[in-house]
Amino acid sequence: MKLSHFNFNLPAELLAEFPAENRDESRLMVIDRAKKTIEHKMFKDIINYFDDGDVMIMNNTKVFPARLYGNKEKTGARIEVFLLRELNAEQRLWDVLVDPARKIRIGNKLYFGDDDSLVAEVIDNTTSRGRTLRFLYDGSYDEFRNKLTELGETPIPKYINREVTPEDEERYQTIYAKVEGAVAAPTAGLHFSKHLMKRLEIKGINFAEVTLHVGLGTFNPVEVEDLSKHKMDSEELFITQQACDIVNNAIQNKKRVCCIGTTSMRAIESSVSSARTLNPFEGWTNKFIYPPYDFSIANCMVTNFHTPKSTLLMMISAFCGHDLMKKAYEEAVKEKYRFYSYGDAMLII
């Protein structure tokens, strides 16, 4: 398959700027792969598709406030610094993106906070917008991390063309987020409310948690027509023995195994045994799933509606079947479903 197979016309007004008022009251499109049917529901109706012993695999990564604004020494120019990943805790080295990048060179210093209590020095260039920064801060490592949290803001995606609100801090985070390390939310999970989780639990649905720290690579545009030439950024992944036991037990008992989001799907497909069961994992993955692809573990998934030509859409095409995916997306545009991070959801069974 080629990149051009994943293009479609997405009206700008369908990109959701704000989340639904209540997490579990966004819309839910249900696609049945065997019957080739499409139904329109509310997200909380998802409970009707699962039974006792079924498993949902959730990504429990937690988004940290990765977007900082500093001022360049001498000129005072305002510079956005987006924290990507910590390279060395002891030396306080970070991989970041800077904007506007043309103004930021090796040796420059950036000052953060009204009192300039945090300073960073540019020590390397990594990509056109990428830099390595060394943070200079008088205090312990914990105090330094607290300072980053205090100065940073919730990294809602760039296409959301508005200021960050206090509400974003809560809503751009799943209710089961635990392990800090993501710079973008695993958005399919944003639809789960505490009440819905409780109802699923009472019905006998089990939850298996994995941790994939979502990086910005998830949103990197694919710039090659031949998909086999696209390289995904690596992201840190942890799968515990406990999660494997829950999932493998469900596989053995022929239950539904549902991935909540593309990040959970990438996580589990990165650690499959020869017997097509889930193995524990600790490390990095740059797994890129596009059609044709033979999925080993999950037999259904929840996902949001993705933008044209995105790697996320390619995974959905591989899981759903390309023609059915195209039909579903045409229907979504016609029915004015809301797209992307704060948008509506899709359940593929």
Side-chain angles (χ1 to χ4, degrees):
M1 300 215 71
K2 301 270 193 283
L3 177 62
S4 44
H5 290 130
F6 298 92
N7 203 8
F8 65 94
N9 182 33
L10 176 58
E13 68 270 14
L14 296 186
L15 286 171
E17 294 264 313
F18 291 93
E21 191 177 344
N22 297 311
R23 285 182 185 265
D24 58 14
E25 289 184 350
S26 50
R27 292 163 77 192
L28 178 69
M29 179 185 280
V30 182
I31 299 171
D32 187 314
R33 293 179 291 173
K35 296 179 186 160
K36 304 272 191 278
T37 55
I38 296 173
E39 295 178 284
H40 305 287
K41 303 284 183 181
M42 296 283 281
F43 192 80
K44 57 188 175 188
D45 298 329
I46 196 168
I47 194 166
N48 300 328
Y49 295 88
F50 294 90
D51 284 312
D52 186 26
D54 290 343
V55 168
M56 290 184 171
I57 302 172
M58 330 287 244
N59 181 5
N60 67 11
T61 187
K62 189 173 187 181
V63 180
F64 66 94
R67 191 174 274 131
L68 303 170
Y69 292 95
N71 298 99
K72 191 177 166 191
E73 66 177 337
K74 296 182 182 147
T75 67
R78 187 174 192 246
I79 306 294
E80 178 190 309
V81 172
F82 196 104
L83 302 172
L84 289 178
R85 60 175 71 103
E86 186 174 52
L87 299 174
N88 184 310
E90 206 178 315
Q91 295 182 28
R92 299 179 187 175
L93 295 183
W94 281 75
D95 248 348
V96 305
L97 295 177
V98 292
D99 194 18
R102 59 193 160 71
K103 295 185 173 178
I104 301 301
R105 298 193 173 89
I106 293 171
N108 287 160
K109 283 204 170 103
L110 299 169
Y111 293 85
F112 301 90
D114 297 336
D115 56 356
D116 294 346
S117 56
L118 183 64
V119 182
E121 185 181 4
V122 182
I123 62 168
D124 201 4
N125 297 330
T126 50
T127 59
S128 58
R129 286 178 56 219
R131 302 289 184 271
T132 302
L133 296 188
R134 177 186 285 119
F135 283 98
L136 313 169
Y137 181 72
D138 292 331
S140 68
Y141 178 72
D142 286 345
E143 288 168 335
F144 163 64
R145 288 303 298 247
N146 289 340
K147 179 56 82 173
L148 286 185
T149 301
E150 177 198 319
L151 293 173
E153 66 176 36
T154 304
I156 59 172
K158 274 286 197 205
Y159 78 87
I160 295 181
N161 204 2
R162 61 171 174 79
E163 291 292 307
V164 172
T165 67
E167 182 195 33
D168 289 313
E169 194 177 333
E170 183 220 341
R171 292 300 300 273
Y172 195 63
Q173 197 82 270
T174 63
I175 60 163
Y176 47 80
K178 286 187 188 131
V179 189
E180 194 171 79
V183 299
T187 53
L190 298 179
H191 305 284
F192 287 85
S193 63
K194 286 195 173 88
H195 180 62
L196 178 57
M197 294 280 282
K198 196 76 203 155
R199 287 175 62 216
L200 288 163
E201 209 177 298
I202 290 165
K203 198 171 178 183
I205 285 86
N206 296 313
F207 302 108
E209 294 187 4
V210 298
T211 307
L212 178 81
H213 291 316
V214 191
L216 281 188
T218 301
F219 309 113
N220 278 353
V222 180
E223 290 169 339
V224 285
E225 184 65 11
D226 177 354
L227 301 185
S228 66
K229 304 273 193 294
H230 178 69
K231 292 283 179 284
M232 293 287 277
D233 274 6
S234 289
E235 293 166 323
E236 203 168 7
L237 168 62
F238 303 91
I239 302 174
T240 62
Q241 184 63 56
Q242 184 189 9
C244 294
D245 293 344
I246 295 168
V247 171
N248 294 337
N249 188 40
I251 293 172
Q252 196 178 345
N253 292 317
K254 307 226 172 341
K255 297 291 185 180
R256 274 204 165 145
V257 177
C258 183
C259 262
I260 307 303
T262 56
T263 63
S264 301
M265 185 68 87
R266 287 224 335 280
I268 64 170
E269 286 293 325
S270 298
S271 190
V272 178
S273 75
S274 55
R276 295 171 80 88
T277 56
L278 187 59
N279 278 340
F281 188 93
E282 194 170 311
W284 295 77
T285 178
N286 62 352
K287 185 88 176 164
F288 176 30
I289 297 174
Y290 59 94
Y293 185 85
D294 182 19
F295 291 84
S296 298
I297 307 270
N299 47 27
C300 50
M301 77 181 291
V302 175
T303 185
N304 278 23
F305 288 90
H306 307 295
T307 47
K309 296 184 175 178
S310 60
T311 58
L312 310 170
L313 185 62
M314 291 161 193
M315 180 193 291
I316 301 315
S317 162
F319 191 76
C320 184
H322 193 70
D323 292 343
L324 188 54
M325 180 275 289
K326 288 208 72 138
K327 183 181 162 195
Y329 268 66
E330 279 163 21
E331 182 102 350
V333 170
K334 191 176 100 211
E335 294 292 328
K336 295 196 166 25
Y337 273 75
R338 299 164 69 224
F339 276 66
Y340 218 38
S341 301
Y342 273 153
D344 295 314
M346 173 190 278
L347 168 64
I348 307 168
I349 55 177

